[in-house]
Amino acid sequence: MVSAFFNLHSTCIAAPMTGVCSSPEAGTHDKRWVAAVIAGAIFIVAAPFYGYVVSLLEATPGYFIAIIAGLALMRVITSAMAIAFSGRKHEVGALFAFLIAASEIQIFEIGATFWALVLGVVVSMMFETKDFDFVLNRGVVKKASDTP
């Protein structure tokens, strides 16, 4: 937070590296500290060259940076899609929510993330009514429990 006052690069690089260093791919649970030490050493060794890297990134076209970022997030999007569509419920609503959020649509000065949630639920309620059986069954359970 202190670096924000000096217009420095965000120092919130710990969150992604924590995820990488604590994942099962980093080794067994008692040996994962080695991944954190190696990541820290890489940061320290690479620190003098960050200025050159930023200059190089500024010289590259914007679409190239977008391609690199897209490739870096490929695993994240495939994992999120697998989780969203593996439940066999609300698949159409999840797909519409994703597409609306990606479209960056704004209605009444309200952003796409809000409309993705609202319209995703509406689409799911319209086309996947059987997936809302927990709402319907709740009333049946109450009635059944009231009778002796």
Side-chain angles (χ1 to χ4, degrees), residues 65-113:
I65 302 297
I67 290 171
I68 298 295
L71 290 174
L73 294 175
M74 194 65 116
R75 172 117 182 189
V76 174
I77 192 71
T78 56
S79 173
M81 288 295 173
I83 291 169
F85 297 122
S86 67
R88 305 273 189 227
K89 287 190 172 190
H90 309 290
E91 291 178 350
V92 176
L95 177 64
F96 270 82
F98 173 73
L99 294 175
I100 291 168
S103 71
E104 299 181 11
I105 188 171
Q106 284 196 351
I107 303 172
F108 303 122
E109 301 289 325
I110 300 173
T113 53

mmCIF file of all heavy atoms in Angstrom, residues 65-113:
data_model
loop_
_atom_site.group_PDB
_atom_site.id
_atom_site.type_symbol
_atom_site.label_atom_id
_atom_site.label_comp_id
_atom_site.label_asym_id
_atom_site.label_seq_id
_atom_site.Cartn_x
_atom_site.Cartn_y
_atom_site.Cartn_z
ATOM 1 N N ILE A 65 0.552 -8.217 -26.601
ATOM 2 C CA ILE A 65 0.407 -8.324 -25.146
ATOM 3 C C ILE A 65 -0.898 -9.035 -24.813
ATOM 4 O O ILE A 65 -0.956 -9.869 -23.905
ATOM 5 C CB ILE A 65 0.454 -6.931 -24.483
ATOM 6 C CG1 ILE A 65 1.759 -6.217 -24.817
ATOM 7 C CG2 ILE A 65 0.255 -7.026 -22.981
ATOM 8 C CD1 ILE A 65 2.989 -6.903 -24.314
ATOM 9 N N ALA A 66 -1.966 -8.727 -25.556
ATOM 10 C CA ALA A 66 -3.247 -9.387 -25.319
ATOM 11 C C ALA A 66 -3.160 -10.888 -25.601
ATOM 12 O O ALA A 66 -3.755 -11.701 -24.888
ATOM 13 C CB ALA A 66 -4.330 -8.749 -26.180
ATOM 14 N N ILE A 67 -2.431 -11.258 -26.635
ATOM 15 C CA ILE A 67 -2.253 -12.679 -26.955
ATOM 16 C C ILE A 67 -1.486 -13.383 -25.841
ATOM 17 O O ILE A 67 -1.875 -14.481 -25.404
ATOM 18 C CB ILE A 67 -1.525 -12.842 -28.301
ATOM 19 C CG1 ILE A 67 -2.447 -12.414 -29.445
ATOM 20 C CG2 ILE A 67 -1.060 -14.279 -28.509
ATOM 21 C CD1 ILE A 67 -1.758 -12.333 -30.785
ATOM 22 N N ILE A 68 -0.422 -12.771 -25.359
ATOM 23 C CA ILE A 68 0.369 -13.369 -24.278
ATOM 24 C C ILE A 68 -0.482 -13.515 -23.016
ATOM 25 O O ILE A 68 -0.457 -14.553 -22.351
ATOM 26 C CB ILE A 68 1.630 -12.525 -23.989
ATOM 27 C CG1 ILE A 68 2.537 -12.470 -25.212
ATOM 28 C CG2 ILE A 68 2.379 -13.048 -22.773
ATOM 29 C CD1 ILE A 68 3.114 -13.806 -25.607
ATOM 30 N N ALA A 69 -1.252 -12.472 -22.680
ATOM 31 C CA ALA A 69 -2.111 -12.543 -21.492
ATOM 32 C C ALA A 69 -3.189 -13.611 -21.662
ATOM 33 O O ALA A 69 -3.505 -14.343 -20.712
ATOM 34 C CB ALA A 69 -2.753 -11.186 -21.235
ATOM 35 N N GLY A 70 -3.749 -13.716 -22.856
ATOM 36 C CA GLY A 70 -4.758 -14.742 -23.113
ATOM 37 C C GLY A 70 -4.199 -16.139 -22.974
ATOM 38 O O GLY A 70 -4.840 -17.028 -22.413
ATOM 39 N N LEU A 71 -2.992 -16.351 -23.489
ATOM 40 C CA LEU A 71 -2.361 -17.658 -23.346
ATOM 41 C C LEU A 71 -2.034 -17.976 -21.887
ATOM 42 O O LEU A 71 -2.135 -19.123 -21.456
ATOM 43 C CB LEU A 71 -1.094 -17.726 -24.203
ATOM 44 C CG LEU A 71 -1.326 -17.756 -25.712
ATOM 45 C CD1 LEU A 71 0.007 -17.673 -26.443
ATOM 46 C CD2 LEU A 71 -2.085 -19.004 -26.113
ATOM 47 N N ALA A 72 -1.653 -16.956 -21.136
ATOM 48 C CA ALA A 72 -1.351 -17.169 -19.723
ATOM 49 C C ALA A 72 -2.596 -17.535 -18.932
ATOM 50 O O ALA A 72 -2.516 -18.289 -17.958
ATOM 51 C CB ALA A 72 -0.707 -15.915 -19.136
ATOM 52 N N LEU A 73 -3.739 -17.029 -19.331
ATOM 53 C CA LEU A 73 -4.987 -17.301 -18.611
ATOM 54 C C LEU A 73 -5.766 -18.480 -19.181
ATOM 55 O O LEU A 73 -6.881 -18.743 -18.745
ATOM 56 C CB LEU A 73 -5.858 -16.048 -18.613
ATOM 57 C CG LEU A 73 -5.294 -14.878 -17.828
ATOM 58 C CD1 LEU A 73 -6.171 -13.648 -18.008
ATOM 59 C CD2 LEU A 73 -5.186 -15.230 -16.359
ATOM 60 N N MET A 74 -5.197 -19.176 -20.133
ATOM 61 C CA MET A 74 -5.901 -20.284 -20.771
ATOM 62 C C MET A 74 -6.269 -21.379 -19.772
ATOM 63 O O MET A 74 -7.375 -21.899 -19.787
ATOM 64 C CB MET A 74 -5.046 -20.862 -21.898
ATOM 65 C CG MET A 74 -5.815 -21.763 -22.795
ATOM 66 S SD MET A 74 -7.069 -20.841 -23.649
ATOM 67 C CE MET A 74 -6.489 -21.037 -25.280
ATOM 68 N N ARG A 75 -5.350 -21.726 -18.896
ATOM 69 C CA ARG A 75 -5.640 -22.763 -17.898
ATOM 70 C C ARG A 75 -6.737 -22.318 -16.942
ATOM 71 O O ARG A 75 -7.579 -23.115 -16.529
ATOM 72 C CB ARG A 75 -4.358 -23.096 -17.145
ATOM 73 C CG ARG A 75 -4.553 -23.993 -15.980
ATOM 74 C CD ARG A 75 -3.868 -25.272 -16.123
ATOM 75 N NE ARG A 75 -4.142 -26.097 -14.959
ATOM 76 C CZ ARG A 75 -3.540 -27.206 -14.740
ATOM 77 N NH1 ARG A 75 -2.645 -27.614 -15.567
ATOM 78 N NH2 ARG A 75 -3.835 -27.921 -13.700
ATOM 79 N N VAL A 76 -6.737 -21.046 -16.584
ATOM 80 C CA VAL A 76 -7.755 -20.534 -15.674
ATOM 81 C C VAL A 76 -9.137 -20.622 -16.315
ATOM 82 O O VAL A 76 -10.097 -21.070 -15.673
ATOM 83 C CB VAL A 76 -7.431 -19.075 -15.267
ATOM 84 C CG1 VAL A 76 -8.546 -18.473 -14.450
ATOM 85 C CG2 VAL A 76 -6.123 -19.020 -14.519
ATOM 86 N N ILE A 77 -9.266 -20.211 -17.567
ATOM 87 C CA ILE A 77 -10.571 -20.215 -18.222
ATOM 88 C C ILE A 77 -11.047 -21.642 -18.470
ATOM 89 O O ILE A 77 -12.239 -21.936 -18.314
ATOM 90 C CB ILE A 77 -10.574 -19.370 -19.512
ATOM 91 C CG1 ILE A 77 -11.988 -19.148 -20.028
ATOM 92 C CG2 ILE A 77 -9.751 -19.999 -20.600
ATOM 93 C CD1 ILE A 77 -12.803 -18.236 -19.201
ATOM 94 N N THR A 78 -10.145 -22.548 -18.832
ATOM 95 C CA THR A 78 -10.580 -23.932 -19.043
ATOM 96 C C THR A 78 -11.010 -24.580 -17.736
ATOM 97 O O THR A 78 -11.984 -25.332 -17.701
ATOM 98 C CB THR A 78 -9.469 -24.771 -19.703
ATOM 99 O OG1 THR A 78 -8.295 -24.698 -18.912
ATOM 100 C CG2 THR A 78 -9.184 -24.305 -21.108
ATOM 101 N N SER A 79 -10.318 -24.260 -16.656
ATOM 102 C CA SER A 79 -10.712 -24.789 -15.350
ATOM 103 C C SER A 79 -12.063 -24.232 -14.917
ATOM 104 O O SER A 79 -12.914 -24.959 -14.417
ATOM 105 C CB SER A 79 -9.641 -24.451 -14.314
ATOM 106 O OG SER A 79 -10.059 -24.806 -13.029
ATOM 107 N N ALA A 80 -12.255 -22.927 -15.116
ATOM 108 C CA ALA A 80 -13.533 -22.320 -14.745
ATOM 109 C C ALA A 80 -14.685 -22.866 -15.578
ATOM 110 O O ALA A 80 -15.780 -23.120 -15.061
ATOM 111 C CB ALA A 80 -13.447 -20.804 -14.898
ATOM 112 N N MET A 81 -14.454 -23.080 -16.867
ATOM 113 C CA MET A 81 -15.498 -23.652 -17.718
ATOM 114 C C MET A 81 -15.804 -25.095 -17.327
ATOM 115 O O MET A 81 -16.955 -25.515 -17.345
ATOM 116 C CB MET A 81 -15.084 -23.587 -19.192
ATOM 117 C CG MET A 81 -15.111 -22.212 -19.758
ATOM 118 S SD MET A 81 -16.803 -21.619 -19.755
ATOM 119 C CE MET A 81 -16.557 -19.960 -20.242
ATOM 120 N N ALA A 82 -14.781 -25.856 -16.996
ATOM 121 C CA ALA A 82 -15.003 -27.241 -16.584
ATOM 122 C C ALA A 82 -15.828 -27.302 -15.307
ATOM 123 O O ALA A 82 -16.730 -28.132 -15.180
ATOM 124 C CB ALA A 82 -13.666 -27.947 -16.388
ATOM 125 N N ILE A 83 -15.545 -26.413 -14.369
ATOM 126 C CA ILE A 83 -16.309 -26.384 -13.125
ATOM 127 C C ILE A 83 -17.741 -25.928 -13.390
ATOM 128 O O ILE A 83 -18.695 -26.483 -12.852
ATOM 129 C CB ILE A 83 -15.625 -25.472 -12.090
ATOM 130 C CG1 ILE A 83 -14.315 -26.117 -11.620
ATOM 131 C CG2 ILE A 83 -16.531 -25.201 -10.902
ATOM 132 C CD1 ILE A 83 -13.439 -25.198 -10.805
ATOM 133 N N ALA A 84 -17.909 -24.919 -14.244
ATOM 134 C CA ALA A 84 -19.247 -24.381 -14.505
ATOM 135 C C ALA A 84 -20.137 -25.384 -15.218
ATOM 136 O O ALA A 84 -21.337 -25.435 -14.968
ATOM 137 C CB ALA A 84 -19.138 -23.100 -15.332
ATOM 138 N N PHE A 85 -19.557 -26.187 -16.098
ATOM 139 C CA PHE A 85 -20.379 -27.080 -16.905
ATOM 140 C C PHE A 85 -20.317 -28.532 -16.461
ATOM 141 O O PHE A 85 -20.861 -29.399 -17.123
ATOM 142 C CB PHE A 85 -19.989 -26.964 -18.373
ATOM 143 C CG PHE A 85 -20.236 -25.598 -18.930
ATOM 144 C CD1 PHE A 85 -19.209 -24.871 -19.480
ATOM 145 C CD2 PHE A 85 -21.490 -25.028 -18.877
ATOM 146 C CE1 PHE A 85 -19.432 -23.596 -19.990
ATOM 147 C CE2 PHE A 85 -21.720 -23.766 -19.367
ATOM 148 C CZ PHE A 85 -20.695 -23.048 -19.923
ATOM 149 N N SER A 86 -19.671 -28.826 -15.351
ATOM 150 C CA SER A 86 -19.588 -30.207 -14.900
ATOM 151 C C SER A 86 -20.723 -30.584 -13.960
ATOM 152 O O SER A 86 -20.917 -31.755 -13.685
ATOM 153 C CB SER A 86 -18.250 -30.458 -14.203
ATOM 154 O OG SER A 86 -18.182 -29.717 -13.002
ATOM 155 N N GLY A 87 -21.444 -29.612 -13.465
ATOM 156 C CA GLY A 87 -22.489 -29.887 -12.495
ATOM 157 C C GLY A 87 -23.775 -30.402 -13.088
ATOM 158 O O GLY A 87 -24.660 -30.848 -12.390
ATOM 159 N N ARG A 88 -23.927 -30.336 -14.386
ATOM 160 C CA ARG A 88 -25.137 -30.786 -15.083
ATOM 161 C C ARG A 88 -26.366 -29.964 -14.708
ATOM 162 O O ARG A 88 -27.469 -30.347 -15.008
ATOM 163 C CB ARG A 88 -25.420 -32.271 -14.817
ATOM 164 C CG ARG A 88 -24.284 -33.177 -15.135
ATOM 165 C CD ARG A 88 -24.333 -33.581 -16.573
ATOM 166 N NE ARG A 88 -23.340 -34.624 -16.816
ATOM 167 C CZ ARG A 88 -22.522 -34.592 -17.821
ATOM 168 N NH1 ARG A 88 -22.553 -33.608 -18.672
ATOM 169 N NH2 ARG A 88 -21.652 -35.555 -18.005
ATOM 170 N N LYS A 89 -26.174 -28.870 -14.034
ATOM 171 C CA LYS A 89 -27.281 -27.977 -13.703
ATOM 172 C C LYS A 89 -26.883 -26.554 -14.069
ATOM 173 O O LYS A 89 -25.730 -26.171 -13.928
ATOM 174 C CB LYS A 89 -27.620 -28.033 -12.211
ATOM 175 C CG LYS A 89 -28.316 -29.295 -11.785
ATOM 176 C CD LYS A 89 -28.817 -29.166 -10.376
ATOM 177 C CE LYS A 89 -29.668 -30.356 -10.035
ATOM 178 N NZ LYS A 89 -30.362 -30.177 -8.776
ATOM 179 N N HIS A 90 -27.827 -25.810 -14.526
ATOM 180 C CA HIS A 90 -27.665 -24.390 -14.835
ATOM 181 C C HIS A 90 -26.578 -24.143 -15.878
ATOM 182 O O HIS A 90 -25.897 -23.127 -15.843
ATOM 183 C CB HIS A 90 -27.380 -23.571 -13.580
ATOM 184 C CG HIS A 90 -28.343 -23.816 -12.469
ATOM 185 N ND1 HIS A 90 -29.640 -23.398 -12.538
ATOM 186 C CD2 HIS A 90 -28.207 -24.437 -11.277
ATOM 187 C CE1 HIS A 90 -30.266 -23.742 -11.421
ATOM 188 N NE2 HIS A 90 -29.416 -24.387 -10.647
ATOM 189 N N GLU A 91 -26.399 -25.056 -16.812
ATOM 190 C CA GLU A 91 -25.340 -24.904 -17.815
ATOM 191 C C GLU A 91 -25.632 -23.769 -18.787
ATOM 192 O O GLU A 91 -24.741 -22.995 -19.128
ATOM 193 C CB GLU A 91 -25.147 -26.208 -18.577
ATOM 194 C CG GLU A 91 -24.560 -27.309 -17.728
ATOM 195 C CD GLU A 91 -24.425 -28.610 -18.478
ATOM 196 O OE1 GLU A 91 -24.953 -28.714 -19.599
ATOM 197 O OE2 GLU A 91 -23.785 -29.515 -17.949
ATOM 198 N N VAL A 92 -26.873 -23.647 -19.232
ATOM 199 C CA VAL A 92 -27.223 -22.583 -20.179
ATOM 200 C C VAL A 92 -27.111 -21.223 -19.492
ATOM 201 O O VAL A 92 -26.590 -20.266 -20.065
ATOM 202 C CB VAL A 92 -28.638 -22.814 -20.757
ATOM 203 C CG1 VAL A 92 -29.056 -21.671 -21.654
ATOM 204 C CG2 VAL A 92 -28.700 -24.131 -21.499
ATOM 205 N N GLY A 93 -27.570 -21.139 -18.254
ATOM 206 C CA GLY A 93 -27.447 -19.887 -17.508
ATOM 207 C C GLY A 93 -25.999 -19.493 -17.278
ATOM 208 O O GLY A 93 -25.636 -18.325 -17.383
ATOM 209 N N ALA A 94 -25.145 -20.480 -16.992
ATOM 210 C CA ALA A 94 -23.719 -20.196 -16.805
ATOM 211 C C ALA A 94 -23.080 -19.719 -18.100
ATOM 212 O O ALA A 94 -22.264 -18.795 -18.099
ATOM 213 C CB ALA A 94 -23.006 -21.438 -16.284
ATOM 214 N N LEU A 95 -23.465 -20.330 -19.216
ATOM 215 C CA LEU A 95 -22.921 -19.913 -20.504
ATOM 216 C C LEU A 95 -23.342 -18.489 -20.842
ATOM 217 O O LEU A 95 -22.522 -17.659 -21.250
ATOM 218 C CB LEU A 95 -23.358 -20.870 -21.608
ATOM 219 C CG LEU A 95 -22.908 -20.501 -23.018
ATOM 220 C CD1 LEU A 95 -21.394 -20.554 -23.111
ATOM 221 C CD2 LEU A 95 -23.542 -21.418 -24.037
ATOM 222 N N PHE A 96 -24.629 -18.177 -20.647
ATOM 223 C CA PHE A 96 -25.095 -16.814 -20.917
ATOM 224 C C PHE A 96 -24.438 -15.809 -19.982
ATOM 225 O O PHE A 96 -24.088 -14.705 -20.398
ATOM 226 C CB PHE A 96 -26.623 -16.732 -20.813
ATOM 227 C CG PHE A 96 -27.314 -17.006 -22.098
ATOM 228 C CD1 PHE A 96 -27.549 -18.306 -22.519
ATOM 229 C CD2 PHE A 96 -27.729 -15.964 -22.909
ATOM 230 C CE1 PHE A 96 -28.172 -18.570 -23.705
ATOM 231 C CE2 PHE A 96 -28.349 -16.215 -24.109
ATOM 232 C CZ PHE A 96 -28.574 -17.520 -24.514
ATOM 233 N N ALA A 97 -24.255 -16.167 -18.716
ATOM 234 C CA ALA A 97 -23.599 -15.262 -17.774
ATOM 235 C C ALA A 97 -22.170 -14.972 -18.218
ATOM 236 O O ALA A 97 -21.722 -13.826 -18.176
ATOM 237 C CB ALA A 97 -23.612 -15.863 -16.376
ATOM 238 N N PHE A 98 -21.468 -16.001 -18.671
ATOM 239 C CA PHE A 98 -20.101 -15.797 -19.145
ATOM 240 C C PHE A 98 -20.072 -14.896 -20.367
ATOM 241 O O PHE A 98 -19.261 -13.969 -20.461
ATOM 242 C CB PHE A 98 -19.444 -17.146 -19.464
ATOM 243 C CG PHE A 98 -18.108 -17.005 -20.118
ATOM 244 C CD1 PHE A 98 -17.009 -16.592 -19.389
ATOM 245 C CD2 PHE A 98 -17.947 -17.261 -21.465
ATOM 246 C CE1 PHE A 98 -15.774 -16.444 -19.984
ATOM 247 C CE2 PHE A 98 -16.720 -17.123 -22.069
ATOM 248 C CZ PHE A 98 -15.632 -16.711 -21.327
ATOM 249 N N LEU A 99 -20.951 -15.155 -21.333
ATOM 250 C CA LEU A 99 -20.959 -14.354 -22.563
ATOM 251 C C LEU A 99 -21.338 -12.904 -22.294
ATOM 252 O O LEU A 99 -20.776 -11.982 -22.888
ATOM 253 C CB LEU A 99 -21.913 -14.975 -23.585
ATOM 254 C CG LEU A 99 -21.487 -16.343 -24.124
ATOM 255 C CD1 LEU A 99 -22.565 -16.916 -25.027
ATOM 256 C CD2 LEU A 99 -20.168 -16.234 -24.849
ATOM 257 N N ILE A 100 -22.277 -12.681 -21.390
ATOM 258 C CA ILE A 100 -22.678 -11.311 -21.060
ATOM 259 C C ILE A 100 -21.540 -10.588 -20.341
ATOM 260 O O ILE A 100 -21.259 -9.418 -20.614
ATOM 261 C CB ILE A 100 -23.969 -11.317 -20.229
ATOM 262 C CG1 ILE A 100 -25.141 -11.786 -21.096
ATOM 263 C CG2 ILE A 100 -24.256 -9.937 -19.648
ATOM 264 C CD1 ILE A 100 -26.393 -12.105 -20.327
ATOM 265 N N ALA A 101 -20.860 -11.270 -19.433
ATOM 266 C CA ALA A 101 -19.739 -10.649 -18.723
ATOM 267 C C ALA A 101 -18.600 -10.328 -19.685
ATOM 268 O O ALA A 101 -17.946 -9.297 -19.557
ATOM 269 C CB ALA A 101 -19.246 -11.567 -17.608
ATOM 270 N N ALA A 102 -18.369 -11.195 -20.656
ATOM 271 C CA ALA A 102 -17.298 -10.955 -21.622
ATOM 272 C C ALA A 102 -17.638 -9.855 -22.615
ATOM 273 O O ALA A 102 -16.748 -9.241 -23.194
ATOM 274 C CB ALA A 102 -16.986 -12.243 -22.385
ATOM 275 N N SER A 103 -18.934 -9.568 -22.780
ATOM 276 C CA SER A 103 -19.339 -8.561 -23.766
ATOM 277 C C SER A 103 -19.117 -7.130 -23.297
ATOM 278 O O SER A 103 -19.134 -6.214 -24.111
ATOM 279 C CB SER A 103 -20.827 -8.733 -24.095
ATOM 280 O OG SER A 103 -21.626 -8.326 -22.996
ATOM 281 N N GLU A 104 -18.936 -6.926 -22.001
ATOM 282 C CA GLU A 104 -18.740 -5.602 -21.410
ATOM 283 C C GLU A 104 -19.914 -4.662 -21.679
ATOM 284 O O GLU A 104 -19.750 -3.455 -21.824
ATOM 285 C CB GLU A 104 -17.435 -4.977 -21.890
ATOM 286 C CG GLU A 104 -16.204 -5.765 -21.516
ATOM 287 C CD GLU A 104 -14.930 -5.100 -21.978
ATOM 288 O OE1 GLU A 104 -14.964 -3.927 -22.399
ATOM 289 O OE2 GLU A 104 -13.887 -5.761 -21.908
ATOM 290 N N ILE A 105 -21.110 -5.224 -21.734
ATOM 291 C CA ILE A 105 -22.310 -4.423 -21.982
ATOM 292 C C ILE A 105 -22.624 -3.570 -20.751
ATOM 293 O O ILE A 105 -22.382 -3.986 -19.625
ATOM 294 C CB ILE A 105 -23.495 -5.337 -22.339
ATOM 295 C CG1 ILE A 105 -24.683 -4.524 -22.796
ATOM 296 C CG2 ILE A 105 -23.872 -6.217 -21.178
ATOM 297 C CD1 ILE A 105 -25.804 -5.375 -23.365
ATOM 298 N N GLN A 106 -23.129 -2.375 -20.988
ATOM 299 C CA GLN A 106 -23.559 -1.508 -19.894
ATOM 300 C C GLN A 106 -24.990 -1.080 -20.157
ATOM 301 O O GLN A 106 -25.299 -0.538 -21.223
ATOM 302 C CB GLN A 106 -22.674 -0.279 -19.777
ATOM 303 C CG GLN A 106 -21.348 -0.560 -19.157
ATOM 304 C CD GLN A 106 -20.661 0.717 -18.705
ATOM 305 O OE1 GLN A 106 -21.102 1.823 -18.994
ATOM 306 N NE2 GLN A 106 -19.577 0.563 -17.983
ATOM 307 N N ILE A 107 -25.845 -1.300 -19.188
ATOM 308 C CA ILE A 107 -27.242 -0.886 -19.276
ATOM 309 C C ILE A 107 -27.521 -0.012 -18.065
ATOM 310 O O ILE A 107 -27.262 -0.420 -16.926
ATOM 311 C CB ILE A 107 -28.185 -2.109 -19.298
ATOM 312 C CG1 ILE A 107 -27.829 -3.030 -20.466
ATOM 313 C CG2 ILE A 107 -29.631 -1.672 -19.379
ATOM 314 C CD1 ILE A 107 -28.566 -4.346 -20.477
ATOM 315 N N PHE A 108 -28.042 1.179 -18.292
ATOM 316 C CA PHE A 108 -28.312 2.158 -17.232
ATOM 317 C C PHE A 108 -27.064 2.456 -16.408
ATOM 318 O O PHE A 108 -27.120 2.572 -15.184
ATOM 319 C CB PHE A 108 -29.445 1.686 -16.311
ATOM 320 C CG PHE A 108 -30.722 1.388 -16.999
ATOM 321 C CD1 PHE A 108 -31.297 0.127 -16.911
ATOM 322 C CD2 PHE A 108 -31.363 2.342 -17.754
ATOM 323 C CE1 PHE A 108 -32.488 -0.158 -17.546
ATOM 324 C CE2 PHE A 108 -32.548 2.069 -18.401
ATOM 325 C CZ PHE A 108 -33.121 0.818 -18.296
ATOM 326 N N GLU A 109 -25.906 2.519 -17.065
ATOM 327 C CA GLU A 109 -24.627 2.806 -16.415
ATOM 328 C C GLU A 109 -24.228 1.739 -15.393
ATOM 329 O O GLU A 109 -23.443 2.004 -14.490
ATOM 330 C CB GLU A 109 -24.662 4.189 -15.734
ATOM 331 C CG GLU A 109 -24.951 5.342 -16.665
ATOM 332 C CD GLU A 109 -23.790 5.630 -17.607
ATOM 333 O OE1 GLU A 109 -22.636 5.479 -17.204
ATOM 334 O OE2 GLU A 109 -24.067 6.010 -18.748
ATOM 335 N N ILE A 110 -24.781 0.538 -15.521
ATOM 336 C CA ILE A 110 -24.427 -0.570 -14.643
ATOM 337 C C ILE A 110 -23.628 -1.563 -15.474
ATOM 338 O O ILE A 110 -24.016 -1.910 -16.586
ATOM 339 C CB ILE A 110 -25.685 -1.235 -14.050
ATOM 340 C CG1 ILE A 110 -26.486 -0.215 -13.241
ATOM 341 C CG2 ILE A 110 -25.299 -2.418 -13.176
ATOM 342 C CD1 ILE A 110 -27.813 -0.721 -12.752
ATOM 343 N N GLY A 111 -22.529 -2.043 -14.922
ATOM 344 C CA GLY A 111 -21.579 -2.854 -15.673
ATOM 345 C C GLY A 111 -22.039 -4.258 -15.995
ATOM 346 O O GLY A 111 -23.077 -4.745 -15.516
ATOM 347 N N ALA A 112 -21.238 -4.923 -16.803
ATOM 348 C CA ALA A 112 -21.576 -6.242 -17.334
ATOM 349 C C ALA A 112 -21.593 -7.323 -16.264
ATOM 350 O O ALA A 112 -22.345 -8.287 -16.392
ATOM 351 C CB ALA A 112 -20.590 -6.616 -18.427
ATOM 352 N N THR A 113 -20.801 -7.193 -15.216
ATOM 353 C CA THR A 113 -20.782 -8.247 -14.203
ATOM 354 C C THR A 113 -22.130 -8.378 -13.504
ATOM 355 O O THR A 113 -22.592 -9.487 -13.248
ATOM 356 C CB THR A 113 -19.691 -7.987 -13.166
ATOM 357 O OG1 THR A 113 -19.833 -6.667 -12.648
ATOM 358 C CG2 THR A 113 -18.323 -8.132 -13.784
#
